[in-house]
Amino acid sequence: MALLVLAEHDNATLKPATQNSVAAARKIGEKADTSEIHVLVIGHQAVPVAEAAARIEGVAKVILADEVELGPQTAEILTAQVLLQLQAEHYSHLLAPATTYGKNVLPRIAAKLDVQQISGIIDVLSPSTFVRPIYAGNALATVESIAGAIIVLTVLSTGFDASPLRETSAPIESAKELAKDSAGVRLVGRQLASSDKIELTAARVVVSGGRGLQKAENFQLLEALAAKLNAAVGASRAAVDAGFVPNDYQVGQTGKIVAPELYIAVGISGAIQHLAGMRDSKVIVAINKDPDAPIFQVADYGLVGDALEILPQLTAQL
């Protein structure tokens, strides 16, 4: 039986987290001795998304459901389309990124299928056994799904390296049937924050600031450093709660989960909730004036000192 991955996109661009979900599907396929992975793209005028998905290594086929009504991508219409696809073909697993997108849609699908969802997996032990972090990442739980039912999974992108893109493309097929909105839900509008800054979850380098920066104006020092490193700017919850930066900067258990090649934590003490959002970074650098700050326990490199003095010096050196 094949595996189905629900693609995350904005009707124009495929989100990188989809490649991580395909990587998880490939690992399941290796354990199940099958390599048939299908990617389902649901939206409107989303052909470029389907073309991008078709180039992901390991994808055997892309199914494109393209219709005006599918464009808003509400949980109700996405669920209806996924259920139609599950009826059209038999799948053993359904996967989606453990992002706001996946967390919005997959629980509804699991409820409609009357199966339990396994959330935020970071490893695959067998086709029915998975590992997921609990207690803000301080413990790992091994979870086994009941045999016989379709297995619904959300995938933490930090647990799987993104499946690379290839030169050739898998075939793209149109969905055999398109869903109609029968839930009585209509998207009235969206308020999107426009920014030319690098997206946190897609950045190779992330520079985050905490309460140690003392005030919002000092985040300009962080912005200058980020510009030198071509990095995204993040923040701890303490900095967000203090009003230093907007909440879409937040990295942590209740914010965004990142795993860049380099993570620089500036003026961040290292609370458990923050560590849960960045502990899988390849290299962690911490700058803090408190030598006993918990952040130093997970940092590969630590610098003890006043961040307001160190940041301009570091930026100048770069």
Side-chain angles (χ1 to χ4, degrees):
M1 294 175 69
L3 298 90
L4 183 64
V5 176
L6 182 60
E8 178 178 356
H9 62 93
D10 58 3
N11 288 315
T13 306
L14 182 71
K15 299 298 182 182
T18 303
Q19 292 174 246
N20 302 90
S21 296
V22 170
R26 291 177 67 186
K27 193 164 185 179
I28 295 171
E30 291 169 2
K31 303 285 185 181
D33 203 19
T34 176
S35 58
E36 190 81 357
I37 298 172
H38 299 172
V39 175
L40 177 59
V41 176
I42 305 173
H44 179 51
Q45 297 181 340
V47 172
V49 177
E51 292 173 343
R55 292 184 54 221
I56 302 176
E57 188 71 43
V59 173
K61 181 171 69 174
V62 174
I63 300 105
L64 174 60
D66 201 304
E67 178 68 38
V68 174
E69 291 187 8
L70 302 176
Q73 298 188 61
T74 60
E76 291 77 12
I77 196 67
L78 288 174
T79 298
Q81 186 62 52
V82 171
L83 292 177
L84 285 176
Q85 186 58 36
L86 294 179
Q87 291 170 8
E89 299 187 45
H90 293 291
Y91 293 99
S92 59
H93 296 71
L94 172 64
L95 300 89
T99 56
T100 303
Y101 178 88
K103 292 176 182 178
N104 184 38
V105 180
L106 251 62
R108 185 180 183 88
I109 295 172
K112 291 285 187 180
L113 294 171
D114 196 24
V115 298
Q116 293 187 11
Q117 175 182 305
I118 301 177
S119 304
I121 67 166
I122 60 170
D123 199 6
V124 177
L125 302 183
S126 79
S128 61
T129 309
F130 310 92
V131 178
R132 61 182 299 268
I134 57 175
Y135 303 133
N138 286 295
L140 299 177
T142 300
V143 183
E144 183 176 8
S145 179
I146 299 173
I150 185 171
I151 298 174
V152 178
L153 307 164
T154 58
V155 179
L156 275 179
S157 59
T158 56
F160 300 88
D161 292 333
S163 192
L165 299 178
R166 60 194 174 192
E167 294 298 325
T168 58
S169 297
I172 301 174
E173 298 180 1
S174 296
K176 296 176 181 177
E177 188 177 355
L178 297 177
K180 301 297 181 182
D181 182 15
S182 59
V185 174
R186 181 170 58 91
L187 179 67
V188 176
R190 281 193 175 102
Q191 291 183 335
L192 303 176
S194 58
S195 175
D196 56 358
K197 295 176 182 176
I198 300 173
E199 167 59 31
L200 262 173
T201 54
R204 293 176 61 249
V205 180
V206 175
V207 181
S208 286
R211 191 158 38 195
L213 289 178
Q214 300 178 9
K215 56 183 178 180
E217 289 76 11
N218 291 334
F219 263 80
Q220 295 176 5
L221 301 175
L222 216 60
E223 299 273 3
L225 176 61
K228 291 285 186 180
L229 295 170
N230 193 30
V233 177
S236 67
R237 178 170 180 171
V240 171
D241 287 348
F244 297 168
V245 289
N247 59 11
D248 60 339
Y249 280 52
Q250 185 178 330
V251 173
Q253 185 180 14
T254 54
K256 295 179 179 177
I257 297 176
V258 300
E261 294 179 16
L262 173 63
Y263 187 88
I264 303 178
V266 182
I268 295 175
S269 62
I272 291 173
Q273 290 83 357
H274 186 76
L275 298 183
M278 45 67 72
R279 66 166 70 244
D280 290 322
S281 304
K282 302 296 184 293
V283 177
I284 300 173
V285 176
I287 301 174
N288 201 296
K289 64 182 179 181
D290 179 8
D292 298 320
I295 191 70
F296 289 122
Q297 296 176 14
V298 298
D300 298 286
Y301 300 93
L303 183 57
V304 178
D306 188 342
L308 301 183
E309 297 177 3
I310 291 172
L311 281 176
Q313 297 175 32
L314 181 56
T315 304
Q317 288 293 324
L318 291 169

